[in-house]
Amino acid sequence: MTDYSTLDFSPLVELSADEVVTHSFVRDVTLPGGRVIALITLDNGRDHTRPNTLGPVTLLELGKTLDEQKERAARKEIDAVAVTGKPFILAAGADLSKVSEVDSRDTALLLGQLGHFVFNKLDTLGVPSFVFINGLALGGGLEIGLHATYRTLDASAPAIALPEVFLGLIPGWGGAYLLPNLIGIENALKVVIENPLKMNRMLKGPDAFELGIADAMFPAATFLEDSLRWAGQVLDGTTKVVRKNQPGKVERLVKWDAAIGIARKMLESKIGTIPKAPYLALDLLKAAKSGTRAEGFEREDRALAELSTGDQFQASNYAFNLVQKRAKRPAGAPDKALAQKVTKIGVIGAGLMASQFALLFVRRLQVPVVITDLDQGRVDKGLDYIRGEIATLLGKKRISPDEANRLNALVSGTTDKRDFADCDWVIEAVFEELGVKQDVFADVEQYISETTILATNTSSLSVEEIGAKLAHPERLVGFHFFNPVAVMPLIEVVKTPKTTDEALATAMATAKNLRKNAVITRDTPGFVVNRVLAKVLGEAMFAVDSGTSFATVDEALAPLGLPMPPSQLLDLVGLKVGAHVLDTHHAAFPERFYRSENLHKLAEYGTLLEKDAKGKVKGFDKGALKIVSGGKDPLTADVILRRLEDGLADEIHRMLDDRVVEAPEDIDLCMILGAGWPFHMGGITPYLDRTGASERVFHGTFHDPEIRGIR
């Protein structure tokens, strides 16, 4: 086993000249009964917008502080050591900017070893150690706590997680070994693999406590006082800690390997086998069933070194920076001060999409929402759906009874457009037909104020043309959601030549208040996501119509890393919608987008995939295959992929030349958030650079220097 104390960590320090150091401040607290606890507070001296992070200098300082406390414990000066963070934040984990700068495996190995060396000191102090998780604790921030003897948790903590797999890494400072041995393998799989792959889902304080991550939970107002009092009770033996989820012999013998096997099959079916991090994490969790801490930590060191110097992490880090930084400062956004206050929402339509809008608006904005439709029956059906969803949230304890009552009271329905008179924001979700959308806006404009902002959820129509019958088309903005509305994080905010900065600013502020990421696009066919996907589906159908099997097409395009193959994408969006999307783009750009008559025939037939009773895909429907069987010139998989890569490079280059969005990063952001383009691929434009498509098509690249990733 490696003796971490003999290692030279100076190469890491050399990378850290500009590190924002999180310092370790110590003060002694005398507990009732006279026991003394040394309380270490982690604080980088910045406000809550800059969380504590754990770079090499930070870790070495924490290690020195813990060594000093060990010496004090040996002299009987203290009875325990506790670690907590500055207000609302324990730590946000490793400083990723430093991780991405590591360029050799030896240095990367040191990074994992330094974390283990420092954190493991909490287990060798000679006195009990406590970590008071007083707020956000991500990655290494949570792993600090896992190394301690005991943990308490602030009930208001907004985010507890090990998100490393989401970033192309693994929990490398003890998490992959310690967590399953604390909360059981099934719970650990949820935290380490399942949640990160669900768009980096975080745990709230009560959720983390229920899993057994902490031994006690206290309210925010008295968290530190309660934690210190509880620690005193543990020290004097009046409180006994019971860990109900800690795995026993039966779990290790029976459940452990079975859970790993199920998780592996789930990963293979959902993400394929290209991403490395989830499978390495799975291997580490499997190995954690037995062996020593030291063995577990060495496995983590090796895995972290492999991943942090690999292409998938570099690609993931690019994608992460887009989502965390660029998405927070949208390109082309007007002054935030121009945004109008939204105190009431109107939704035109009461179908499924409109009802989903209404539910999202009322939950996030907490303002009155009124829906309308052609008749009271449709309105009532929409209201029933919304109230049913609120009841489901209540049943799952995701909202309180008081909040459920409040939300129900804020939602109303009407067939009288005069009830829209005091709405500040009106959005339509009616049938995707130009004349219908024009008419509903022209109608409602008679009843609303001159300052009301109008929004359309169109996915393919011209926003400017939708506003052609408006007296004030300058108030109209595109506001394109992705399905499912509550889950998908992207909204494409579409600006027409007439849209005012006030309308645009209000749309951007509304998207932010909905907890969505917004990208501003020009008013062009398909905007960003659908235009790119139309190219994918068009090339797929061209190959099928030429005589290539759907199975070959799906296999050919697998290197793109999309969350599902073209056949399943068509099944998801609907064959009629898919045909409509291709028709729309072919009409706009006939020389570049393919129109498939066979896709229309499939839409009339109604089925492409054969499924079992549970909806699992068994294969292709025989009748569907007969419909598309007439082609005589099948394409090879290599030709299909090359055609698509070159076509995408050409189309995206044209989109940037036409200023559909500001930069390649905005294309990548849209595809990551709106189409599920995987993080480990690092965005579509870096991929096209790496494969040579950019050079082949326009004799250049989208990025200079090239962003590393999978070719």
Side-chain angles (χ1 to χ4, degrees):
M1 295 295 102
T2 302
D3 183 355
Y4 293 140
S5 66
T6 65
L7 298 175
D8 176 15
F9 295 111
S10 60
L12 295 176
V13 176
E14 291 170 8
L15 290 173
S16 307
D18 59 347
E19 178 183 336
V20 177
V21 179
T22 299
H23 294 289
S24 300
F25 299 99
V26 186
R27 67 184 175 95
D28 288 351
V29 178
T30 301
L31 304 173
R35 294 180 185 273
V36 177
I37 189 166
L39 179 63
I40 301 171
T41 300
L42 303 178
D43 193 340
N44 63 4
R46 307 295 180 89
D47 65 17
H48 68 280
T49 63
R50 183 64 187 261
N52 296 331
T53 51
L54 304 171
V57 176
T58 295
L59 290 171
L60 289 170
E61 181 179 319
L62 176 59
K64 181 181 177 183
T65 302
L66 291 171
D67 286 341
E68 292 167 351
Q69 305 319 304
K70 182 175 183 177
E71 293 172 3
R72 296 181 66 205
R75 296 194 299 265
K76 308 298 184 183
E77 294 175 10
I78 57 174
D79 300 284
V81 175
V83 179
T84 192
K86 70 181 184 180
F88 316 115
I89 295 165
L90 180 59
D95 185 341
L96 285 179
S97 66
K98 302 305 170 194
V99 179
S100 64
E101 291 172 8
V102 174
D103 58 1
S104 75
R105 190 183 184 283
D106 287 345
T107 305
L109 191 64
L110 282 176
L111 189 63
Q113 291 169 333
L114 177 57
H116 285 128
F117 174 54
V118 172
F119 290 175
N120 199 48
K121 293 176 184 290
L122 286 164
D123 190 51
T124 58
L125 291 168
V127 292
S129 59
F130 297 81
V131 169
F132 303 151
I133 304 172
N134 64 311
L136 180 140
L138 305 178
L142 178 56
E143 285 170 306
I144 294 174
L146 297 179
H147 281 265
T149 319
Y150 305 101
R151 289 153 296 280
T152 66
L153 180 60
D154 187 326
S156 69
I160 308 293
L162 293 175
E164 287 86 352
V165 165
F166 178 69
L167 304 171
L169 298 172
I170 52 93
W173 287 344
Y177 178 81
L178 296 173
L179 189 68
N181 284 294
L182 176 68
I183 66 173
I185 186 59
E186 291 179 339
N187 288 336
L189 285 165
K190 178 178 182 179
V191 176
V192 175
I193 295 178
E194 183 182 334
N195 283 354
L197 294 179
K198 289 182 176 178
M199 291 305 292
N200 205 18
R201 180 177 292 179
M202 308 280 176
L203 297 168
K204 301 291 186 185
D207 301 322
F209 179 66
E210 182 65 24
L211 290 178
I213 289 174
D215 300 307
M217 183 171 66
F218 302 112
T222 57
F223 175 70
L224 184 56
E225 295 90 335
D226 289 345
S227 294
L228 287 166
R229 186 188 70 253
W230 182 85
Q233 293 168 348
V234 171
L235 291 172
D236 66 24
T238 57
T239 291
K240 302 293 184 184
V241 173
V242 177
R243 291 171 179 157
K244 62 179 182 179
N245 292 335
Q246 201 158 23
K249 290 183 178 179
V250 173
E251 176 167 342
R252 294 181 191 279
L253 289 172
V254 179
K255 292 176 61 177
W256 203 288
D257 289 344
I260 293 291
I262 292 169
R264 191 176 299 277
K265 289 180 180 178
M266 180 273 293
L267 286 176
E268 291 171 352
S269 67
K270 288 192 174 183
I271 64 171
T273 57
I274 294 175
K276 293 181 180 179
Y279 291 99
L280 271 177
L282 196 63
D283 291 341
L284 291 171
L285 291 172
K286 179 179 181 180
K289 181 177 73 169
S290 58
T292 64
R293 286 167 67 107
E295 291 169 342
F297 295 170
E298 284 211 347
R299 288 192 294 266
E300 291 178 2
D301 291 338
R302 292 192 296 269
L304 187 61
E306 176 185 341
L307 291 172
S308 61
T309 54
D311 290 340
Q312 289 193 14
F313 169 65
Q314 296 298 329
S316 296
N317 195 47
Y318 166 77
F320 178 75
N321 283 328
L322 289 182
V323 172
Q324 291 299 313
K325 296 177 181 179
R326 191 172 185 87
K328 303 296 189 291
R329 296 185 289 274
D335 187 346
K336 296 177 184 177
L338 295 174
Q340 297 171 196
K341 190 173 183 180
V342 175
T343 61
K344 184 178 178 181
I345 301 285
V347 179
I348 304 175
L352 180 59
M353 182 67 81
S355 299
Q356 290 181 44
F357 288 171
L359 180 64
L360 181 66
F361 278 111
V362 75
R363 284 199 70 199
R364 296 287 185 248
L365 303 189
Q366 301 279 315
V367 299
V369 175
V370 57
I371 65 173
T372 189
D373 213 314
L374 296 173
D375 56 61
Q376 193 62 45
R378 300 186 195 200
V379 171
D380 290 342
K381 186 176 180 180
L383 289 174
D384 288 344
Y385 171 85
I386 296 165
R387 288 169 180 155
E389 289 297 300
I390 292 171
T392 299
L393 292 170
L394 176 61
K396 293 180 178 179
K397 297 184 179 180
R398 292 178 60 186
I399 58 175
S400 67
D402 285 346
E403 185 175 0
N405 291 335
R406 184 166 63 253
L407 294 178
N408 279 318
L410 287 170
V411 177
S412 63
T414 185
T415 56
D416 188 346
K417 302 295 195 311
R418 287 174 295 186
D419 292 333
F420 279 49
D422 55 346
C423 288
D424 306 295
W425 174 276
V426 174
I427 185 169
E428 65 78 19
V430 297
F431 188 67
E432 188 76 347
E433 186 174 299
L434 180 61
V436 174
K437 291 182 185 289
Q438 287 176 334
D439 289 344
V440 296
F441 273 142
D443 179 37
V444 80
E445 191 176 31
Q446 304 172 61
Y447 303 99
I448 59 177
S449 76
E450 292 188 358
T451 60
T452 301
I453 305 300
L454 296 174
T456 172
N457 182 51
T458 184
S459 60
S460 60
L461 300 174
S462 165
V463 177
E464 184 177 16
E465 288 184 22
I466 288 172
K469 295 183 180 181
L470 288 171
H472 296 285
E474 69 278 1
R475 67 166 81 191
L476 178 63
V477 65
F479 207 69
H480 179 218
F481 286 88
F482 292 82
N483 226 352
V485 170
V487 175
M488 296 301 287
L490 179 69
I491 294 176
E492 290 175 325
V493 174
V494 185
K495 179 183 180 182
T496 78
K498 297 177 182 177
T499 302
T500 64
D501 282 349
E502 288 77 10
L504 192 61
T506 305
M508 297 302 287
T510 301
K512 182 179 180 181
N513 291 334
L514 291 172
R515 303 178 197 171
K516 301 290 187 182
N517 295 297
V519 174
I520 296 172
T521 84
R522 274 189 60 218
D523 185 20
T524 57
F527 314 131
V528 174
V529 175
N530 281 350
R531 186 161 166 180
V532 172
L533 291 181
K535 197 70 183 175
V536 174
L537 293 179
E539 286 298 327
M541 287 309 304
F542 174 80
V544 169
D545 291 351
S546 299
T548 315
S549 70
F550 263 114
T552 299
V553 172
D554 285 350
E555 183 179 346
L557 300 187
L560 284 173
L562 286 169
M564 61 187 72
S567 63
Q568 291 184 28
L569 179 60
L570 278 171
D571 180 72
L572 177 68
V573 301
L575 297 169
K576 288 184 178 179
V577 172
H580 174 71
V581 168
L582 293 193
D583 288 353
T584 300
H585 285 81
H586 177 75
F589 311 111
E591 73 285 1
R592 302 201 307 274
F593 282 86
Y594 180 70
R595 181 188 185 278
S596 171
E597 187 60 37
N598 275 338
L599 186 53
H600 280 275
K601 293 177 181 177
L602 284 174
E604 290 178 18
Y605 179 68
T607 302
L608 174 58
L609 300 176
E610 184 181 353
K611 301 177 184 179
D612 63 20
K614 295 182 178 180
K616 185 178 180 180
V617 176
K618 295 169 58 178
F620 292 96
D621 181 87
K622 293 179 181 178
L625 294 181
K626 187 175 181 180
I627 289 172
V628 299
S629 63
K632 304 297 183 184
D633 299 300
L635 280 62
T636 66
D638 288 344
V639 169
I640 295 168
L641 181 60
R642 176 111 174 203
R643 275 182 57 96
L644 178 58
E645 289 173 346
D646 289 0
L648 287 171
D650 175 60
E651 199 61 34
I652 290 172
H653 191 248
R654 291 172 185 270
M655 291 165 71
L656 293 170
D657 283 347
D658 292 343
R659 302 301 297 270
V660 175
V661 289
E662 293 280 326
E665 290 82 357
D666 298 310
I667 301 280
D668 295 329
L669 186 60
C670 285
M671 295 306 294
I672 290 166
L673 297 179
W677 185 277
F679 260 55
H680 69 268
M681 299 293 286
I684 191 169
T685 61
Y687 169 83
L688 295 171
D689 286 348
R690 293 192 299 270
T691 59
S694 305
E695 183 65 37
R696 291 194 299 268
V697 171
F698 59 87
H699 309 296
T701 57
F702 292 110
H703 301 274
D704 187 17
E706 180 182 290
I707 295 165
R708 289 164 56 191
I710 301 171
R711 292 185 180 275

